[in-house]
Amino acid sequence: MKPFRGWQKIAGIFRKRERKILPRRREVQPAEAGGRELEELVLLPLNGIVLFPHTMVPLFITYKPGIAAIEESLGRDLRLFAACVMDAAGPFQGFSLCGTVVRIVQRLRLPDGSFRVILQGEYRGTITDILHGPAVPSGTKKGTEKAAGPAYTLVQVEAIHSPPAETNSALVQAVQRSFALYAELSKKIGADTAAAVEKAENPERLANLISNAMAVKAEKKVELLSIAGAEKRLEAVLETLELENEIYSVHKNISGKVKSRLEKNQREYILQEQLKEINKELGKDKTEDEYADLEKAIAARNPPDEVMAKAQKEINRLRKLQPFSPEAGVLRSYLEWIADLPWNEFSSDSADPDKAEKILEEDHFDMRKAKDRILEFIAVRQLTADTGKDGRVPGIKGPILCFVGPPGTGKTSLGKSVARALGRKFVRISLGGVRDEAEIRGHRKTYVGALPGKIIQSMRRAGTMNPVFLLDEIDKLSSDFRGDPASALLEVLDPEQNSTFTDHYMELAYDLSGVLFIATANSLNGIPYPLLDRMEIIEIPGYGENEKLAIAKQFLVPKELEENGLGRAKLSFTDESLREIIRHWTMESGVRGLEREIARALRRIAREAVKKHHGPGAEKSLESFKRLIRRGDLEKLLGRRKYKKDLVFKEERIGVTYGLAWTETGGAMLPVETRAFAGSGELIITGNLGDVMKESARIALSWLRSVTENYKFYLDIAKTDFHIHVPEGAIPKDGPSAGITLASSLLSTLCRKAPRPGTAMTGELTLTGRILPIGGLKEKVLAAIRNGMDKLLLPGDNREDWEELDKDIREAIPVEFVENAEEAFVHLFGTGIQRKPRAKKGKAADSANAEEEKNCG
């Protein structure tokens, strides 16, 4: 018995509720109702133990309330009321009202004051009243104590009677059979108990014996004890027995399966050992056969001579080791890797450039540079079709390409299309977040659980020596104390070195020169220069509005219709609706967001089709569902517009100019705001700008100070402080291409002249006023078009890049090319902010002055 805790708290609650919960009842029930005189008995609290009538239970009583109850019962005919104490919850804070009246058959006081007793259950009863119990000390002040009451609790008990009824022999027999099965499964029932249950005919006695013998929770036993009707009680006992038998059957089934498996393994081990001894006696050894098979499997791959020699050496070592030793397992795994790798298997490349071009055009829109490079590779392979004995083209190494562009432009899927166009196997590894050199080169095989790196693993998966190998997100590589994976890739991506690539696990030179490596990146900034120098960079620029429209119509809408179960429905988007999604629900260079929005609209429509009972097994077929998605339907399908042109002011504002920025996700607008106030020529720069952009602002201010005499400044530049701010300060910004934008904003503030509205610009400004070319032209132009700009100022040296852009992009916005800051300022402000030249004499002076006044408006 565990000592009962919390007695004083429970007894105190009983005392408080003594007169509120239970009325005192001392009357005798009528005999004809099967009543019994209410008895006053000492309460014996039992922690988690439930006693039943017709049973005898030995207990050790070691806790104070129990000892006090035993001592008090000595003067009360040795009779007690045994009630189970469970969790302190419910109206009686832990007591079960239902219990058993028991008699002390035998008792023995131990030297420590505790008792060892044997209790015999007489009949079931229910507490109707708490007569008195131990007092609970209360009060928080020192020295205040209440007199202690008795250490035991006296309760009034009423017997639980089962209404007289005929004995259901079928039910009794079912309970006895179920208990016999329970005793067989649990193997915890004594022979005496089983015999008593088998002989019991009285339903009450049968229920008591079985409930006492079952190993169920105390709450369940209290429930079985409290049921009044004999037949109902037997049904509850039968239900509990059947549930326990089911649980034991499941456990027995699982245990049997595990045991049989263990016995089978043990039997196989013994037979294997016996077979080894028999083979030794007969001069045969099965292990030798396994080693011979492994050697044949490696030789069948036709590896280089040094690989075969290494494999034979390791097999000879393996023969000398015990088969179950750890080193033998390591060597066996190593040899299996050699046997699984392709050493001389090549897939034949496609010899039809027209077919390859058709495949590339089917899978992707535009991407002309990437497609041309792949078709050039196929053409070179066709011209050098005289292959050697090993199946490879002499002198032709697999190119190492790097597709660079914003997310969602199709770089990864283009790699799959290249493999399909060439007729090669395709493997891909993701390098995002890889920071361990062993991920590329593998671990030494002496380490526990060592494996080759991702390169060798992917080559085994490809099964050929010349797959298309995609290194995804190469700009997301990291490094830490475990090494630099970017440095490990130097050997992989060097055509002069990768023919002898050595993995730490394999310790053998492996030829990667036939592999077509394709890397993808969002930006070149995160790629180390030595690694960048080994790759051929192919830019995958963002898409314009017309390109996105074509991609949506040709690829995205048909794909999403199939994926959302609407492929057989007559459903289509108008061009205006797709343009509206592109303009107001996406702001990206790629088409990933556009695909998500189209899918979201189609999911809403799929829900509508189901509501109208269209689909397989429904009243109407899916072919009969028709829907044309128009521009006016978009807000209902997609909600409110996500993107608005909040950063661009259409009206004139002094000191506000608009630059263009390139980011990894595409182009973006870069508004610049400048304010001036009295000071000492200090320059304040805010907006989370990088060092290069801060230097561009200082260059712009220095250049304006050097040309003070050329412009009409309304402020003394030496006695004025300037504050330059680039909005959206939470976003880091850097780069030199905002130089002309910063200079224009400062000039507008100095001259109190607003620049031409709707004009965007980009270009690096030098200290002499020259405007240098910029990169990421297409992304920047697309950003200007997306934000509704009316005119674009570009550096003159970017004229050739402009001519390479698609015609629809060039026609979407007017462009002026400028060589220096003075030309840019004329386009922005006109000539009115320039100082007038010295007065000229005669008609020439009048003509020049009239022309200047005309330009100033």
Side-chain angles (χ1 to χ4, degrees):
M1 277 293 297
K2 298 181 180 178
F4 171 63
R5 299 177 180 176
W7 168 258
Q8 291 181 343
K9 180 177 179 181
I10 294 171
I13 295 173
F14 274 136
R15 288 175 61 85
K16 292 179 182 179
R17 302 188 179 185
E18 184 174 355
R19 293 190 175 91
K20 296 181 180 179
I21 299 177
L22 298 173
R24 292 187 175 273
R25 295 178 57 195
R26 298 187 179 274
E27 69 278 5
V28 180
Q29 290 185 351
E32 59 272 12
R36 179 189 295 270
E37 184 177 356
L38 302 180
E39 289 194 74
E40 294 182 1
L41 296 172
V42 179
L43 176 66
L44 176 62
L46 299 176
N47 191 9
I49 297 178
V50 182
L51 300 184
F52 289 85
H54 309 110
T55 61
M56 296 183 68
V57 180
L59 294 175
F60 279 98
I61 308 298
T62 59
Y63 50 98
K64 290 182 180 181
I67 294 172
I70 297 295
E71 290 175 345
E72 177 64 20
S73 68
L74 298 180
R76 294 177 177 264
D77 299 332
L78 299 178
R79 297 173 76 244
L80 300 159
F81 183 71
C84 178
V85 179
M86 296 174 291
D87 296 335
F92 285 91
Q93 299 295 317
F95 273 104
S96 67
L97 289 179
C98 182
T100 303
V101 177
V102 298
R103 182 181 298 276
I104 301 176
V105 177
Q106 185 180 349
R107 70 183 184 279
L108 174 64
R109 184 185 289 273
L110 301 177
D112 59 355
S114 61
F115 282 93
R116 182 185 185 279
V117 296
I118 297 178
L119 304 178
Q120 181 178 11
E122 293 186 351
Y123 64 89
R124 298 179 292 145
T126 305
I127 298 175
T128 60
D129 198 358
I130 307 295
L131 301 181
H132 62 79
V136 181
S138 61
T140 56
K141 296 181 181 180
K142 293 182 179 180
T144 59
E145 298 181 357
K146 288 187 178 181
Y152 63 91
T153 299
L154 190 64
V155 296
Q156 184 173 278
V157 177
E158 179 184 1
I160 298 177
H161 290 284
S162 296
E166 294 182 2
T167 303
N168 189 339
S169 58
L171 179 59
V172 170
Q173 292 175 5
V175 172
Q176 289 173 336
R177 285 196 301 270
S178 183
F179 181 77
L181 178 60
Y182 175 81
E184 180 184 350
L185 293 173
S186 65
K187 298 180 181 180
K188 297 179 181 179
I189 306 299
D192 296 340
T193 304
V197 170
E198 186 177 357
K199 295 177 182 178
E201 297 179 356
N202 187 343
E204 279 290 325
R205 179 179 177 82
L206 180 61
N208 290 329
L209 291 174
I210 295 177
S211 299
N212 182 66
M214 280 193 298
V216 295
K217 293 184 178 180
E219 291 85 350
K220 186 63 178 177
K221 288 193 173 187
V222 171
E223 180 185 342
L224 296 175
L225 184 68
S226 61
I227 299 174
E231 187 171 346
K232 290 183 179 179
R233 194 173 178 212
L234 272 184
E235 290 176 354
V237 170
L238 179 59
E239 181 181 351
T240 306
L241 280 172
E242 292 295 335
L243 179 60
E244 291 297 315
N245 289 340
E246 184 68 24
I247 294 173
Y248 274 118
S249 298
V250 173
H251 287 175
K252 184 178 180 180
N253 188 20
I254 295 173
S255 300
K257 289 181 180 178
V258 174
K259 185 177 179 180
S260 64
R261 194 178 298 119
L262 293 175
E263 290 176 351
K264 180 181 178 182
N265 293 338
Q266 188 176 8
R267 181 171 173 270
E268 288 179 355
Y269 173 77
I270 295 172
L271 291 175
Q272 289 286 353
E273 293 298 321
Q274 292 175 350
L275 185 60
K276 286 181 184 178
E277 296 300 325
I278 294 172
N279 287 330
K280 286 181 180 179
E281 294 295 330
L282 296 175
K284 300 179 181 179
D285 193 349
K286 185 180 178 181
T287 306
E288 289 296 326
D289 294 340
E290 293 178 0
Y291 299 153
D293 292 342
L294 194 57
E295 187 173 0
K296 289 179 182 177
I298 295 174
R301 290 285 189 176
N302 193 19
D305 294 339
E306 60 271 15
V307 176
M308 196 65 209
K310 174 76 171 176
Q312 289 174 344
K313 179 181 178 182
E314 297 297 339
I315 289 175
N316 292 333
R317 282 185 60 202
L318 187 59
R319 286 192 174 102
K320 299 175 183 178
L321 298 173
Q322 291 294 330
F324 295 101
S325 65
E327 188 176 358
V330 172
L331 285 178
R332 191 177 291 107
S333 297
Y334 175 72
L335 292 169
E336 287 173 355
W337 270 100
I338 295 179
D340 290 342
L341 281 175
W343 294 98
N344 204 20
E345 291 83 2
F346 292 85
S347 57
S348 57
D349 287 348
S350 172
D352 187 356
D354 294 334
K355 181 180 177 181
E357 184 176 8
K358 182 180 178 182
I359 292 174
L360 293 175
E361 293 296 338
E362 286 177 356
D363 291 349
H364 289 83
F365 181 82
D366 198 20
M367 297 188 181
R368 182 49 48 197
K369 288 184 179 179
K371 293 177 181 178
D372 288 343
R373 181 63 183 86
I374 301 304
L375 296 175
E376 291 167 3
F377 174 73
I378 294 175
V380 172
R381 296 282 297 191
Q382 190 172 359
L383 292 175
T384 56
D386 184 16
T387 57
K389 294 182 180 180
D390 57 358
R392 73 183 69 187
V393 180
I396 298 297
K397 297 187 173 83
I400 298 173
L401 310 177
C402 182
F403 297 155
V404 182
T409 51
K411 301 182 294 297
T412 303
S413 59
L414 180 59
K416 296 180 182 178
S417 299
V418 169
R420 197 161 72 92
L422 291 174
R424 294 189 179 191
K425 296 291 183 67
F426 175 78
V427 288
R428 169 188 171 273
I429 62 172
S430 178
L431 299 178
V434 173
R435 58 179 67 245
D436 189 356
E437 179 190 356
E439 293 284 338
I440 307 299
R441 285 189 173 274
H443 294 86
R444 303 286 180 188
K445 64 175 178 290
T446 53
Y447 291 106
V448 176
L451 284 174
K454 289 181 178 292
I455 302 296
I456 296 297
Q457 291 182 33
S458 300
M459 292 303 295
R460 183 179 75 165
R461 192 166 63 249
T464 62
M465 295 283 287
N466 61 339
V468 174
F469 203 123
L470 183 70
L471 302 171
D472 213 3
E473 307 292 350
I474 197 171
D475 58 329
K476 307 299 189 303
L477 283 171
S478 304
S479 62
D480 61 6
F481 65 92
R482 289 169 289 189
D484 184 6
S487 300
L489 284 174
L490 293 177
E491 183 182 5
V492 177
L493 299 182
D494 190 344
E496 302 300 325
Q497 300 180 38
N498 62 11
S499 60
T500 57
F501 171 73
T502 304
D503 186 273
H504 288 160
Y505 181 85
M506 302 301 299
E507 296 179 341
L508 291 168
Y510 193 82
D511 189 2
L512 297 175
S513 61
V515 179
L516 171 56
F517 285 102
I518 297 178
T520 67
N522 297 131
S523 171
L524 299 178
N525 297 332
I527 305 176
Y529 180 76
L531 185 59
L532 190 64
D533 185 57
R534 285 163 166 78
M535 298 186 292
E536 181 180 347
I537 306 301
I538 297 178
E539 293 187 0
I540 308 293
Y543 297 113
E545 184 176 298
N546 291 335
E547 292 172 318
K548 288 184 180 180
L549 178 63
I551 292 171
K553 292 169 65 177
Q554 296 178 27
F555 301 98
L556 302 184
V557 172
K559 174 187 173 184
E560 293 302 326
L561 283 172
E562 291 295 331
E563 290 186 357
N564 290 280
L566 296 171
R568 290 180 295 157
K570 296 179 180 178
L571 203 154
S572 61
F573 289 78
T574 63
D575 289 357
E576 291 76 14
S577 63
L578 290 174
R579 287 185 187 275
E580 191 74 6
I581 296 174
I582 294 168
R583 292 170 182 169
H584 299 292
W585 274 272
T586 63
M587 184 67 73
E588 57 176 353
S589 294
V591 292
R592 191 170 289 151
L594 176 60
E595 183 177 3
R596 280 195 296 266
E597 296 301 323
I598 292 173
R600 190 151 68 97
L602 292 178
R603 287 195 299 270
R604 293 285 181 90
I605 295 173
R607 183 179 175 185
E608 178 184 337
V610 172
K611 282 187 176 181
K612 293 182 178 180
H613 307 289
H614 290 272
E619 297 177 4
K620 305 174 185 177
S621 65
L622 198 59
E623 290 81 356
S624 62
F625 183 73
K626 299 179 181 180
R627 180 72 183 273
L628 179 63
I629 303 173
R630 303 179 184 276
R631 180 177 178 180
D633 302 329
L634 293 180
E635 290 200 3
K636 182 179 178 182
L637 296 173
L638 301 177
R640 294 188 303 172
R641 294 179 177 181
K642 289 184 178 180
Y643 299 101
K644 300 178 181 178
K645 306 180 181 84
D646 294 334
L647 295 177
V648 179
F649 299 105
K650 290 301 181 181
E651 66 275 9
E652 294 183 351
R653 286 177 179 259
I654 296 176
V656 178
T657 54
Y658 300 100
L660 297 169
W662 180 92
T663 68
E664 292 184 3
T665 58
M669 291 296 299
L670 194 71
V672 176
E673 302 172 350
T674 301
R675 286 292 180 267
F677 40 88
S680 57
E682 182 182 357
L683 180 62
I684 303 171
I685 306 171
T686 58
N688 201 354
L689 308 184
D691 293 337
V692 176
M693 199 164 178
K694 290 178 181 178
E695 290 176 358
S696 298
R698 296 189 187 98
I699 291 172
L701 183 59
S702 298
W703 183 79
L704 288 175
R705 282 176 175 168
S706 69
V707 295
T708 304
E709 67 279 0
N710 297 341
Y711 295 96
K712 298 177 182 178
F713 290 171
Y714 287 89
L715 301 173
D716 187 350
I717 197 170
K719 297 180 180 180
T720 303
D721 288 346
F722 298 94
H723 186 165
I724 298 177
H725 175 68
V726 181
E728 296 185 343
I731 302 174
K733 312 168 190 71
D734 202 5
S737 61
I740 185 61
T741 311
L742 295 165
S744 302
S745 179
L746 285 168
L747 183 65
S748 173
T749 305
L750 288 167
C751 296
R752 295 180 183 174
K753 173 74 172 178
R756 188 192 306 271
T759 302
M761 66 204 80
T762 181
E764 179 182 355
L765 180 67
T766 68
L767 205 56
T768 57
R770 291 177 56 222
I771 299 179
L772 302 183
I774 48 90
L777 178 64
K778 184 174 182 179
E779 282 75 14
K780 293 181 178 181
V781 173
L782 292 176
I785 296 172
R786 281 198 304 266
N787 287 274
M789 303 307 289
D790 302 326
K791 191 175 184 181
L792 188 58
L793 302 183
L794 297 177
D797 291 339
N798 284 113
R799 193 183 301 272
E800 293 181 359
D801 300 326
W802 171 261
E803 296 298 331
E804 290 182 0
L805 297 180
D806 295 333
K807 184 178 180 182
D808 61 322
I809 296 178
R810 287 186 277 117
E811 293 177 351
I813 186 170
V815 173
E816 295 289 346
F817 293 95
V818 291
E819 301 290 340
N820 50 55
E822 287 89 348
E823 294 182 20
F825 293 158
V826 169
H827 290 290
L828 284 171
F829 305 101
T831 58
I833 61 172
Q834 297 178 356
R835 290 185 181 274
K836 295 181 180 180
R838 293 181 179 177
K840 298 180 181 179
K841 297 181 180 179
K843 294 182 180 180
D846 295 339
S847 177
N849 292 336
E851 182 66 23
E852 182 174 351
E853 290 177 1
K854 181 181 179 181
N855 292 333
C856 293

